Amino acid sequence: MSNADRSESLVSRLTDRDTLYRLGLYLVMYGLAAVFFIPYVRMFELSVTPLSVMSDGGFFWIPPETTFAVWERFLFREPIIYRWAWNTLLIASITTFIVLVVDSMIAFSITRLEWPGQSLVLGIIMASFMIPGYVNIIPLYTVINDLGLLNSYWAIILPFAAGPLGVFLLVQFFRDIPEELEEAARLDGFSQFRIYAQIILPLSTPILTALGLFVFIWSWNQFLWPLIVLNNDQLYTLPIGVVILRDVNALAPNLIMTSLAIASLPLFIVFLLFQDKLISSVQMQAGTG
Amino acid sequence: MDTNTLTSSQTSTRWERMFERSTRETIMGLVFAIPYLVLFAAFLLFPLLKGLYMSLFEWNFLNPSESTFIGLDNYARLVNDPAFWNALWNTLEFVALTVPLIVVVSLVLALGLNKELKGSRLLQFVYFSPYVLTVSVVAIVWSQMFAQSGIGTHFLGWLFEGSPLNSKFWAMPAIVITTVWWQAGFYFAVLLAARQNVPERLYEAARLDGAGPWRMFRDITLPHMKNALLFVVIASTIFQFQVFGQPFLMTDGGPVGETETLVVYLYELGFRARELGFGAAVGYTLLAILVGVSILNYVLVGTNNE
């Protein structure tokens, strides 16, 4: 056997194994995706299954009858979910706006300006990073109560905006922006405010987008804290509202599942639009954290 | 600028000018820092200190001035409360089951998707998407799947009678599966990035040396992904310790307290029983445990880096 022949048979043996391997890989990855997808399928199926079918209590893969009556009811006739979506949107948007503004301001102050005590302040903020939010809920509740903020959007917005994650990420990012850019601007007579607004902020668009997306999603999805401070169904957020609907309609899975599907749609759309941004934001967080 | 400042700056010494400049900078610095510092002080630092203070009292919610100082009695009561030990044990059980599963699932997803596959964008979407759902949606959908006529119960029904959520043994695993489905996508994204950063030429070199897939995984992939894997372990441990929504909504801590975790216990004390002083002590204990976990992790990471 010549040398060329031997290497050829090796190549074909390798590709054979490779094809099998790739086939297996496709099976595993698409199989896992199918398993991951089941809850969505069930959510949708049950949302269009009439109660008469459900009450038989049996299991079915595909509902024998379907109706969009509950979807129609929530979308057009009983728009309480719109009200909750609006509350959630308002809270998440205001929180995101406040976090981006105040966190970038203090990060600018700490990395670009010098004042006595700043390293101590930064140290305290960083140390608080270790403190998980939930341990604070009881004293925080009494503080919110004393300020008369129970049952208001601010009860949710302000404590969230006090979190240190944004400061942490932005301080790290601002530190790496070269000083030369602003030295030139300073010689041109730029004020500190213009340096912040016209040089640092535009240079930080990627990290600000990443932070903004995450604050928006986390704030939108908050559960425990809104459950504690909101006590009025006109003020509920979506995550709380769907629980109330479940408790009231325990025997109507189609109604529960429809409300869940509608409640999940907004962030699903956000995710569809920003898939790459969101995934790279996760990776950015892990890089600094 | 008027003549007055001009003359004064002409006559002032260099040190005075510097002082003036640094005072201005200090004022600007504070102006930029204060909005966040006010939020931080009012809604994070102050509650934290107040919690410590409250934990020393039998706190009267309606009339705080009538609270009675009891020293460390709340902590003593905690140590003697079987419900606390039960909640701590359940939380540890939950973390010990969830974290390894999350690591394995997210690693498999990341390594698989690193190969060039048709439709990998779609796959990525499916794996990551549960992470953008709120916990109440996740918990209610899975409660339905584990209900009497649900799909999970249909397929796994031979393991338990009725719904796993009513089974003392299977309720916790059901909550764990729910959590892995919800969270794995996030850590998958982290690990995918880490895998893509491993230089491809290392694998080529190893292939020339005749290394098999297992050896390449052990000697190239794992060491290069070590930091990302540690991040996944630490971040998910700390996060899962604070589990609340899944047990609260799927089992309400039951059956007979089998899934009552520390934060569920904390919530019940503070907002159902209104035992605010005692609840604050539980909060502080949780804090101590979590800081301990962080330090332990930090030590382990530190020695691993040597």
Side-chain angles (χ1 to χ4, degrees):
Chain A
M1 221 199 272
S2 77
N3 226 349
D5 274 353
R6 197 181 303 150
S7 71
E8 200 170 283
S9 75
L10 187 70
V11 166
S12 76
R13 257 188 22 234
L14 268 181
T15 38
D16 259 13
R17 228 179 64 192
D18 222 45
T19 328
L20 260 179
Y21 174 73
R22 289 194 70 77
L23 199 68
L25 190 67
Y26 271 95
L27 272 177
V28 171
M29 298 311 281
Y30 275 88
L32 281 170
V35 172
F36 264 74
F37 207 66
I38 291 175
Y40 297 127
V41 176
R42 295 307 285 178
M43 187 183 350
F44 182 73
E45 276 185 355
L46 293 178
S47 79
V48 297
T49 307
L51 271 186
S52 54
V53 175
M54 285 302 302
S55 56
D56 292 349
F59 171 80
F60 50 82
W61 261 117
I62 295 166
E65 277 175 65
T66 55
T67 161
F68 279 86
V70 188
W71 279 83
E72 196 201 311
R73 172 176 158 195
F74 278 133
L75 289 178
F76 304 113
R77 278 186 292 133
E78 203 179 315
I80 185 76
I81 292 185
Y82 286 126
R83 171 82 213 180
W84 295 338
W86 171 247
N87 294 339
T88 320
L89 177 71
L90 212 59
I91 290 172
S93 311
I94 297 174
T95 307
T96 309
F97 177 76
I98 293 181
V99 166
L100 290 179
V101 172
V102 303
D103 287 11
S104 65
M105 281 172 71
I106 189 172
F108 174 77
S109 168
I110 283 173
T111 56
R112 287 306 198 262
L113 301 169
E114 241 174 80
W115 39 277
Q118 67 178 177
S119 53
L120 177 72
V121 167
L122 183 64
I124 294 175
I125 295 173
M126 291 299 141
S128 78
F129 202 53
M130 295 241 294
I131 294 160
Y134 287 174
V135 306
N136 242 346
I137 52 175
I138 287 176
L140 186 60
Y141 176 77
T142 66
V143 170
I144 295 288
N145 183 43
D146 291 347
L147 292 172
L149 291 177
L150 284 183
N151 271 319
S152 78
Y153 297 148
W154 296 110
I156 301 170
I157 295 170
L158 296 175
F160 196 103
L165 175 76
V167 181
F168 182 75
L169 287 175
L170 292 178
V171 163
Q172 302 228 336
F173 192 88
F174 286 5
R175 265 195 187 132
D176 295 337
I177 298 177
E179 299 264 351
E180 291 82 46
L181 289 167
E182 50 183 296
E183 286 306 324
R186 211 160 261 154
L187 289 177
D188 283 349
F190 272 44
S191 66
Q192 300 291 9
F193 183 75
R194 279 185 72 191
I195 293 176
Y196 160 77
Q198 295 182 355
I199 296 182
I200 301 286
L201 285 191
L203 284 173
S204 315
T205 328
I207 189 89
L208 291 173
T209 323
L211 178 64
L213 263 175
F214 265 93
V215 169
F216 187 84
I217 290 176
W218 284 335
S219 163
W220 183 289
N221 281 341
Q222 277 185 96
F223 178 66
L224 174 57
W225 187 243
L227 181 72
I228 293 171
V229 294
L230 296 181
N231 212 339
N232 170 345
D233 62 2
Q234 291 300 307
L235 288 174
Y236 285 151
T237 60
L238 280 174
I240 307 302
V242 295
V243 173
I244 304 303
L245 277 185
R246 177 191 74 161
D247 293 347
V248 177
N249 302 289
L251 295 175
N254 54 353
L255 212 142
I256 298 169
M257 292 297 140
T258 309
S259 71
L260 297 185
I262 297 176
S264 315
L265 274 178
L267 280 195
F268 247 83
I269 294 168
V270 169
F271 181 37
L272 267 174
L273 294 175
F274 296 103
Q275 187 181 349
D276 296 327
K277 268 251 117 54
L278 201 65
I279 301 245
S280 62
S281 311
V282 172
Q283 294 159 351
M284 211 181 287
Q285 264 181 66
T288 39
Chain B
M1 200 161 283
D2 52 56
T3 30
N4 216 349
T5 9
L6 212 69
T7 19
S8 84
S9 73
Q10 271 164 351
T11 50
S12 65
T13 64
R14 198 164 143 256
W15 191 87
E16 275 172 332
R17 274 207 307 277
M18 264 179 61
F19 181 76
E20 205 177 284
R21 182 170 178 263
S22 73
T23 319
R24 243 187 311 142
E25 203 168 316
T26 302
I27 291 169
M28 279 313 280
L30 290 178
V31 166
F32 272 97
I34 271 173
Y36 177 76
L37 290 181
V38 169
L39 286 173
F40 181 76
F43 298 104
L44 209 158
L45 210 53
F46 175 67
L48 197 65
L49 298 174
K50 187 176 178 185
L52 193 58
Y53 177 76
M54 283 173 78
S55 75
L56 305 176
F57 285 83
E58 198 172 300
W59 195 264
N60 185 328
F61 175 63
L62 294 176
N63 214 340
S65 56
E66 280 174 24
S67 305
T68 7
F69 180 82
I70 52 170
L72 294 177
D73 281 8
N74 280 329
Y75 292 93
R77 180 179 154 195
L78 179 75
V79 174
N80 293 314
D81 184 357
F84 166 72
W85 293 106
N86 175 51
L88 178 62
W89 171 251
N90 290 336
T91 308
L92 288 173
E93 185 190 345
F94 175 77
V95 171
L97 289 172
T98 307
V99 172
L101 263 177
I102 281 185
V103 171
V104 170
V105 172
S106 58
L107 186 63
V108 167
L109 296 179
L111 294 182
L113 214 63
N114 176 57
K115 312 283 186 219
E116 272 162 32
L117 291 181
K118 287 209 173 61
S120 60
R121 237 184 102 79
L122 176 75
L123 290 175
Q124 194 187 47
F125 183 86
V126 173
Y127 301 148
F128 190 86
S129 61
Y131 185 73
V132 304
L133 299 178
T134 180
V135 66
S136 50
V137 168
V138 174
I140 296 174
V141 170
W142 281 85
S143 301
Q144 182 61 44
M145 300 198 355
F146 285 130
Q148 193 80 50
S149 61
I151 184 168
T153 310
H154 180 72
F155 280 104
L156 303 172
W158 49 276
L159 287 171
F160 28 74
E161 247 171 80
S163 160
L165 297 176
N166 295 327
S167 147
K168 278 178 80 172
F169 184 80
W170 289 104
M172 187 61 97
I175 291 174
V176 169
I177 290 171
T178 306
T179 309
V180 173
W181 179 77
W182 180 35
Q183 297 270 313
F186 179 82
Y187 299 102
F188 143 76
V190 173
L191 292 179
L192 182 62
R195 175 60 186 83
Q196 282 164 349
N197 285 335
V198 183
E200 222 32 60
R201 58 182 167 73
L202 293 178
Y203 293 100
E204 282 154 28
R207 216 165 284 136
L208 286 179
D209 285 346
W214 168 246
R215 269 205 56 201
M216 287 197 266
F217 173 72
R218 198 193 56 193
D219 293 343
I220 303 173
T221 311
L222 271 190
H224 275 87
M225 292 178 70
K226 197 183 66 189
N227 284 338
L229 282 167
L230 282 170
F231 170 82
V232 171
V233 172
I234 295 171
S236 63
T237 304
I238 292 175
F239 186 81
Q240 304 311 340
F241 240 100
Q242 302 174 65
V243 55
F244 172 76
Q246 305 92 302
F248 181 72
L249 294 170
M250 294 175 75
T251 59
D252 201 8
V256 278
E258 284 297 316
T259 57
E260 181 167 277
T261 59
L262 282 172
V263 178
V264 175
Y265 175 63
L266 178 66
Y267 175 86
E268 307 251 306
L269 284 175
F271 303 101
R272 280 186 181 155
R274 293 277 170 193
E275 295 241 31
L276 294 190
F278 185 46
V282 175
Y284 254 85
T285 312
L286 183 60
L287 173 69
I289 295 172
L290 282 170
V291 169
V293 170
S294 297
I295 290 172
L296 189 70
N297 274 317
Y298 188 76
V299 169
L300 291 176
V301 176
T303 49
N304 263 345
N305 274 345
E306 297 303 315

mmCIF file of all heavy atoms in Angstrom, chain B residues 73-85 265 278:
data_model
loop_
_atom_site.group_PDB
_atom_site.id
_atom_site.type_symbol
_atom_site.label_atom_id
_atom_site.label_comp_id
_atom_site.label_asym_id
_atom_site.label_seq_id
_atom_site.Cartn_x
_atom_site.Cartn_y
_atom_site.Cartn_z
ATOM 1 N N ASP B 73 -32.060 37.678 72.645
ATOM 2 C CA ASP B 73 -33.068 36.627 72.794
ATOM 3 C C ASP B 73 -33.605 36.099 71.468
ATOM 4 O O ASP B 73 -33.885 34.908 71.339
ATOM 5 C CB ASP B 73 -34.241 37.138 73.649
ATOM 6 C CG ASP B 73 -33.896 37.109 75.121
ATOM 7 O OD1 ASP B 73 -32.714 36.833 75.420
ATOM 8 O OD2 ASP B 73 -34.795 37.370 75.946
ATOM 9 N N ASN B 74 -33.757 37.021 70.460
ATOM 10 C CA ASN B 74 -34.251 36.565 69.159
ATOM 11 C C ASN B 74 -33.320 35.529 68.558
ATOM 12 O O ASN B 74 -33.767 34.556 67.949
ATOM 13 C CB ASN B 74 -34.375 37.742 68.196
ATOM 14 C CG ASN B 74 -35.648 38.531 68.436
ATOM 15 O OD1 ASN B 74 -36.663 37.970 68.845
ATOM 16 N ND2 ASN B 74 -35.583 39.829 68.202
ATOM 17 N N TYR B 75 -32.011 35.754 68.726
ATOM 18 C CA TYR B 75 -31.053 34.812 68.153
ATOM 19 C C TYR B 75 -31.094 33.488 68.917
ATOM 20 O O TYR B 75 -30.977 32.418 68.319
ATOM 21 C CB TYR B 75 -29.652 35.415 68.145
ATOM 22 C CG TYR B 75 -29.534 36.582 67.184
ATOM 23 C CD1 TYR B 75 -29.733 37.886 67.623
ATOM 24 C CD2 TYR B 75 -29.250 36.370 65.842
ATOM 25 C CE1 TYR B 75 -29.651 38.949 66.734
ATOM 26 C CE2 TYR B 75 -29.166 37.424 64.952
ATOM 27 C CZ TYR B 75 -29.363 38.714 65.405
ATOM 28 O OH TYR B 75 -29.292 39.758 64.528
ATOM 29 N N ALA B 76 -31.262 33.590 70.246
ATOM 30 C CA ALA B 76 -31.359 32.365 71.047
ATOM 31 C C ALA B 76 -32.599 31.582 70.634
ATOM 32 O O ALA B 76 -32.570 30.356 70.470
ATOM 33 C CB ALA B 76 -31.420 32.720 72.531
ATOM 34 N N ARG B 77 -33.703 32.319 70.432
ATOM 35 C CA ARG B 77 -34.961 31.676 70.013
ATOM 36 C C ARG B 77 -34.774 30.987 68.656
ATOM 37 O O ARG B 77 -35.264 29.883 68.426
ATOM 38 C CB ARG B 77 -36.037 32.756 69.925
ATOM 39 C CG ARG B 77 -37.378 32.215 69.515
ATOM 40 C CD ARG B 77 -38.415 33.323 69.457
ATOM 41 N NE ARG B 77 -39.464 32.970 68.513
ATOM 42 C CZ ARG B 77 -40.340 33.845 68.033
ATOM 43 N NH1 ARG B 77 -40.286 35.119 68.399
ATOM 44 N NH2 ARG B 77 -41.269 33.447 67.188
ATOM 45 N N LEU B 78 -34.022 31.669 67.773
ATOM 46 C CA LEU B 78 -33.758 31.132 66.434
ATOM 47 C C LEU B 78 -33.053 29.789 66.508
ATOM 48 O O LEU B 78 -33.443 28.812 65.857
ATOM 49 C CB LEU B 78 -32.902 32.148 65.675
ATOM 50 C CG LEU B 78 -32.481 31.802 64.261
ATOM 51 C CD1 LEU B 78 -33.659 31.954 63.340
ATOM 52 C CD2 LEU B 78 -31.363 32.726 63.816
ATOM 53 N N VAL B 79 -31.996 29.745 67.348
ATOM 54 C CA VAL B 79 -31.211 28.521 67.441
ATOM 55 C C VAL B 79 -32.072 27.366 67.951
ATOM 56 O O VAL B 79 -31.863 26.215 67.578
ATOM 57 C CB VAL B 79 -29.992 28.764 68.368
ATOM 58 C CG1 VAL B 79 -29.245 27.470 68.606
ATOM 59 C CG2 VAL B 79 -29.081 29.803 67.753
ATOM 60 N N ASN B 80 -33.085 27.711 68.771
ATOM 61 C CA ASN B 80 -33.936 26.661 69.330
ATOM 62 C C ASN B 80 -35.206 26.408 68.520
ATOM 63 O O ASN B 80 -36.062 25.635 68.942
ATOM 64 C CB ASN B 80 -34.332 27.027 70.766
ATOM 65 C CG ASN B 80 -33.122 26.998 71.676
ATOM 66 O OD1 ASN B 80 -32.333 26.062 71.620
ATOM 67 N ND2 ASN B 80 -32.960 28.036 72.476
ATOM 68 N N ASP B 81 -35.315 27.080 67.361
ATOM 69 C CA ASP B 81 -36.530 26.931 66.569
ATOM 70 C C ASP B 81 -36.340 25.828 65.529
ATOM 71 O O ASP B 81 -35.553 25.989 64.602
ATOM 72 C CB ASP B 81 -36.847 28.269 65.886
ATOM 73 C CG ASP B 81 -38.150 28.214 65.120
ATOM 74 O OD1 ASP B 81 -38.760 27.129 65.069
ATOM 75 O OD2 ASP B 81 -38.549 29.249 64.579
ATOM 76 N N PRO B 82 -37.056 24.708 65.675
ATOM 77 C CA PRO B 82 -36.880 23.625 64.693
ATOM 78 C C PRO B 82 -37.236 24.079 63.280
ATOM 79 O O PRO B 82 -36.660 23.582 62.312
ATOM 80 C CB PRO B 82 -37.850 22.533 65.172
ATOM 81 C CG PRO B 82 -38.545 23.053 66.354
ATOM 82 C CD PRO B 82 -38.021 24.391 66.722
ATOM 83 N N ALA B 83 -38.168 25.038 63.151
ATOM 84 C CA ALA B 83 -38.561 25.513 61.822
ATOM 85 C C ALA B 83 -37.373 26.168 61.106
ATOM 86 O O ALA B 83 -37.223 26.050 59.894
ATOM 87 C CB ALA B 83 -39.715 26.502 61.930
ATOM 88 N N PHE B 84 -36.516 26.856 61.893
ATOM 89 C CA PHE B 84 -35.338 27.469 61.278
ATOM 90 C C PHE B 84 -34.389 26.400 60.741
ATOM 91 O O PHE B 84 -33.921 26.478 59.600
ATOM 92 C CB PHE B 84 -34.605 28.346 62.303
ATOM 93 C CG PHE B 84 -33.227 28.741 61.843
ATOM 94 C CD1 PHE B 84 -33.047 29.674 60.832
ATOM 95 C CD2 PHE B 84 -32.091 28.162 62.411
ATOM 96 C CE1 PHE B 84 -31.778 30.028 60.398
ATOM 97 C CE2 PHE B 84 -30.817 28.503 61.985
ATOM 98 C CZ PHE B 84 -30.664 29.439 60.975
ATOM 99 N N TRP B 85 -34.117 25.377 61.558
ATOM 100 C CA TRP B 85 -33.193 24.325 61.116
ATOM 101 C C TRP B 85 -33.760 23.572 59.929
ATOM 102 O O TRP B 85 -33.037 23.197 59.006
ATOM 103 C CB TRP B 85 -32.868 23.375 62.275
ATOM 104 C CG TRP B 85 -32.068 24.075 63.331
ATOM 105 C CD1 TRP B 85 -32.505 24.494 64.545
ATOM 106 C CD2 TRP B 85 -30.694 24.486 63.227
ATOM 107 N NE1 TRP B 85 -31.499 25.140 65.216
ATOM 108 C CE2 TRP B 85 -30.369 25.149 64.443
ATOM 109 C CE3 TRP B 85 -29.708 24.378 62.247
ATOM 110 C CZ2 TRP B 85 -29.120 25.690 64.698
ATOM 111 C CZ3 TRP B 85 -28.449 24.920 62.499
ATOM 112 C CH2 TRP B 85 -28.169 25.561 63.705
ATOM 113 N N TYR B 265 -39.357 31.136 54.917
ATOM 114 C CA TYR B 265 -39.467 31.227 56.386
ATOM 115 C C TYR B 265 -39.416 32.699 56.834
ATOM 116 O O TYR B 265 -40.226 33.160 57.636
ATOM 117 C CB TYR B 265 -38.319 30.411 56.973
ATOM 118 C CG TYR B 265 -38.131 30.431 58.467
ATOM 119 C CD1 TYR B 265 -39.104 29.937 59.324
ATOM 120 C CD2 TYR B 265 -36.952 30.925 59.009
ATOM 121 C CE1 TYR B 265 -38.890 29.937 60.699
ATOM 122 C CE2 TYR B 265 -36.739 30.913 60.380
ATOM 123 C CZ TYR B 265 -37.719 30.426 61.220
ATOM 124 O OH TYR B 265 -37.502 30.432 62.570
ATOM 125 N N PHE B 278 -37.957 39.352 65.304
ATOM 126 C CA PHE B 278 -37.442 37.998 65.103
ATOM 127 C C PHE B 278 -37.075 37.780 63.633
ATOM 128 O O PHE B 278 -36.021 37.224 63.302
ATOM 129 C CB PHE B 278 -38.499 36.985 65.570
ATOM 130 C CG PHE B 278 -38.043 35.564 65.529
ATOM 131 C CD1 PHE B 278 -36.792 35.205 66.034
ATOM 132 C CD2 PHE B 278 -38.848 34.570 64.983
ATOM 133 C CE1 PHE B 278 -36.371 33.885 65.999
ATOM 134 C CE2 PHE B 278 -38.435 33.257 64.949
ATOM 135 C CZ PHE B 278 -37.192 32.911 65.449
#
